[in-house]
């Protein structure tokens, strides 16, 4: 990558980091807000679902808009909406305002993610793209990991301060994106040979080479959502962990997972390719998700959960890299579908996991193990498609 590309990539990664930092900020102050507004756990669940469902519905549309109207404008609109969302949550004194805030948050996520994925595809080559997408996943993970810690620290000043701070960051990111991002030139992308002439991106999603990748993304995101959503309750109920112990387990495992994306992902894709790497990570994830139900010592719990995060954290960038390479000129649309399947998993996973957790604390992890085994079976019939190389370069609308 040249110097200019690295600067642009740094801005894009910063945007993602800020967006996911904002999502994590709510976690430590949620109990206080519940008490302030006297809202129930059910309402909190609906607030969470409002974000995920909005992103689920809008992501495919936003992806198409990124292809039609440009990457930059969608990123700017997404960041501006993020700033408004955080400001509203900070000012909100009624449940209705909080719901509007979370819905706008879902809008911002739907706008930002597909456009950033498409932008990265535009400014990278087939060889440099896996490394950039590994950085992208690490930025997302790190933002979400640090969010609760930053939120807890700022909440010492005032309950709503974390959201005002996030709003300011959103404004700064919006201004920087306006000043320093330019609409990238879009090169004619290689497409799957037997479907290169297809005019409908919707039809492309049903092609096995696309559909398998989206199923893998959905199932792995489902498994990760189950593990993340209940790991604190699980370790509390089964092992009697204190909040400090839970924080250590989650932070250590998540940070190592993020580091694996930065340090290992590019090399592993060069060695094996995305499909073989996904198969390996599905095996690792399935084994260690099941192992969570079998271990008991403190160090083994940290080790097992860390290995789970490493497996999960490499699947997503690998699937994203693969999809980017075969998406042809529908990068934004495929990025939108990527976000849609992930949002669907994030909505369904905690719901099913919660039902099973009430029956037996181990059951959510058994379910995730079964899902990952199914995903591995699907991945074993996955074949690398033959691509038709482009003959010319086209420019995006400025």
């Amino acid at each position: 990558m040249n110097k200019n590309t690295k600067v642009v990539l740094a801005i894009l990664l910063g945007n993602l980091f800020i967006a996911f930092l904002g999502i994590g900020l709510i976690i430590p102050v949620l109990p206080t807000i519940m008490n302030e507004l006297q809202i129930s756990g059910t309402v909190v669940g609906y607030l969470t679902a409002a974000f995920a469902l909005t992103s689920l519905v809008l992501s495919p549309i936003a992806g198409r808009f990124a292809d039609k109207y440009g990457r930059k404008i969608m990123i700017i609109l997404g960041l501006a909406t993020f700033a408004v969302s955080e400001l509203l949550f900070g000012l909100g004194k009624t449940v209705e305002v909080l719901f509007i805030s979370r819905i706008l948050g879902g809008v911002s996520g739907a706008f930002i993610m597909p456009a950033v994925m498409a932008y990265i595809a535009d400014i990278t080559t087939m060889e440099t793209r896996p490394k950039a997408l590994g950085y992208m996943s690490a930025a997302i993970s790190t933002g979400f990991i640090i969010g609760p810690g930053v939120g807890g620290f700022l909440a010492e000043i005032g309950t709503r301060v974390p959201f005002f701070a996030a709003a300011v960051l959103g404004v700064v990111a919006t201004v920087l994106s306006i000043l320093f991002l330019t609409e990238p030139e879009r090169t004619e992308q290689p497409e799957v040979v037997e479907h290169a002439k297809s005019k409908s991106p919707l039809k492309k999603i049903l092609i096995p080479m696309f559909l398998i990748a989206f199923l893998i993304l959905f199932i792995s995101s489902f498994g990760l959502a189950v593990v993340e959503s209940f790991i604190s309750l699980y370790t509390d109920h089964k092992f009697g962990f204190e909040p400090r112990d839970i924080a250590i387990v989650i932070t250590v495992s998540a940070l190592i997972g993020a580091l694996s994306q930065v340090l290992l992902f590019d090399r592993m894709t060069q060695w094996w390719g995305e499909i073989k790497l996904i198969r390996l990570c599905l095996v690792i994830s399935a084994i260690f998700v099941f192992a969570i139900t079998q271990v008991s010592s403190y160090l083994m719990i940290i080790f097992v959960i860390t290995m789970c995060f490493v497996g999960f954290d490499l699947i997503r960038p690998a699937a994203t890299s693969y999809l980017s390479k075969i998406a042809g000129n529908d990068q934004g649309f495929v990025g939108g579908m990527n976000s849609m399947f992930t949002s669907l998993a994030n909505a369904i996973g905690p719901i099913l996991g919660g039902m099973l957790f009430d029956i037996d604390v181990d059951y959510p992890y058994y379910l995730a193990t079964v899902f990952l085994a199914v995903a591995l079976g699907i991945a074993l019939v996955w074949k690398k498609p033959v691509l038709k190389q482009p003959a010319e370069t086209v420019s995006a609308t400025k």
Side-chain angles (χ1 to χ4, degrees):
M1 296 183 194
N2 58 43
K3 185 177 180 180
N4 184 58
T5 300
K6 290 180 179 178
V7 171
V8 170
L9 182 60
I11 294 173
L12 295 174
L13 297 179
N15 291 342
L16 286 177
F17 175 80
I18 289 171
F20 281 84
L21 180 76
I23 293 172
L25 286 176
I26 190 175
I27 295 174
V29 298
L30 197 54
T32 304
I33 293 175
M34 287 176 65
N35 293 332
E36 284 181 3
L37 302 182
Q38 296 183 331
I39 58 178
S40 66
T42 301
V43 174
V44 172
Y46 289 147
L47 278 171
T48 303
F51 181 97
L53 290 174
T54 303
S55 182
L56 170 68
V57 172
L58 290 183
S59 288
I61 301 170
R64 290 297 291 152
F65 284 175
D67 283 333
K68 186 175 182 179
Y69 300 112
R71 302 3 177 165
K72 179 178 177 178
I73 185 62
M74 296 303 294
I75 292 171
I76 291 170
L77 288 174
L79 289 170
T81 305
F82 168 82
V84 173
S85 168
E86 295 295 331
L87 179 62
L88 279 180
F89 209 98
L91 296 173
K93 301 297 182 182
T94 65
V95 174
E96 291 78 10
V97 174
L98 298 189
F99 267 102
I100 293 172
S101 167
R102 297 316 286 166
I103 290 171
L104 288 176
V107 172
S108 72
F111 279 21
I112 293 171
M113 280 298 296
V116 169
M117 289 181 189
Y119 203 124
I120 289 175
D122 291 335
I123 64 173
T124 56
T125 64
M126 290 291 189
E127 292 73 27
T128 60
R129 195 171 301 165
K131 178 182 286 189
L133 292 174
Y135 289 157
M136 184 190 81
S137 292
I140 292 170
S141 301
T142 306
F144 194 76
I145 294 164
I146 293 176
V150 174
F153 174 76
L154 293 175
E156 295 293 323
I157 304 171
T159 306
R160 305 304 177 102
V161 171
F163 305 103
F164 296 141
V168 171
L169 286 176
V171 171
V172 171
T174 303
V175 172
L176 289 176
S177 296
I178 291 172
L179 293 176
F180 296 107
L181 289 185
T182 58
E183 186 64 25
E185 288 189 355
R186 303 183 202 172
T187 56
E188 188 74 20
Q189 298 287 339
E191 305 204 46
V192 180
V193 167
E194 62 269 31
H195 297 280
K197 296 181 180 180
S198 174
K199 299 296 183 181
S200 172
L202 280 172
K203 290 182 180 179
K204 289 187 178 184
I205 298 304
L206 299 178
I207 299 170
M209 293 300 96
F210 287 91
L211 188 59
I212 288 175
F214 285 123
L215 288 175
I216 297 295
L217 269 172
F218 171 78
I219 295 173
S220 62
S221 298
F222 175 93
L224 180 58
V226 170
V227 172
E228 285 186 328
S229 298
F230 296 98
I231 198 64
S232 58
L233 290 175
Y234 184 82
T235 51
D236 172 70
H237 282 55
K238 193 167 185 177
F239 307 116
F241 275 20
E242 298 292 330
R244 182 188 66 176
D245 300 319
I246 296 171
I248 290 173
V249 169
I250 294 175
T251 302
V252 169
S253 57
L255 284 175
I256 291 177
L259 284 174
S260 70
Q261 294 169 335
V262 173
L263 301 178
L264 299 178
F265 177 69
D266 183 46
R267 292 183 180 180
M268 295 178 82
T269 52
Q270 289 179 18
W271 292 337
W272 300 317
E274 288 87 356
I275 294 175
K276 288 183 179 179
L277 176 58
I278 288 171
R279 289 171 182 162
L280 173 63
C281 290
L282 285 170
V283 171
I284 293 172
S285 298
I287 290 173
F288 285 97
V289 167
F290 178 76
I292 291 175
T293 66
Q294 306 299 310
V295 298
S296 56
S297 71
Y298 186 79
L299 290 178
M300 281 302 296
I301 291 167
I302 292 180
F303 172 71
V304 166
I305 294 176
T306 297
M307 291 303 297
C308 281
F309 276 101
V310 169
F312 282 124
D313 286 347
L314 291 176
I315 292 173
R316 181 175 179 82
T320 302
S321 175
Y322 164 86
L323 283 166
S324 178
K325 289 178 179 179
I326 66 168
N329 299 307
D330 297 311
Q331 296 290 335
F333 180 77
V334 170
M337 295 300 294
N338 186 326
S339 296
M340 187 194 77
F341 277 95
T342 302
S343 298
L344 182 62
N346 289 339
I348 295 175
I351 294 172
L352 291 181
M355 293 176 180
L356 292 174
F357 188 87
D358 289 339
I359 301 172
D360 187 295
V361 295
D362 287 330
Y363 283 3
Y365 297 96
Y366 293 155
L367 177 66
T369 302
V370 171
F371 267 53
L372 290 167
V374 171
L376 178 60
I378 295 172
L380 289 175
V381 301
W382 198 357
K383 295 180 180 179
K384 185 177 180 180
V386 178
L387 300 180
K388 178 182 178 180
Q389 295 301 321
E392 59 184 23
T393 299
V394 295
S395 296
T397 301
K398 298 295 180 180

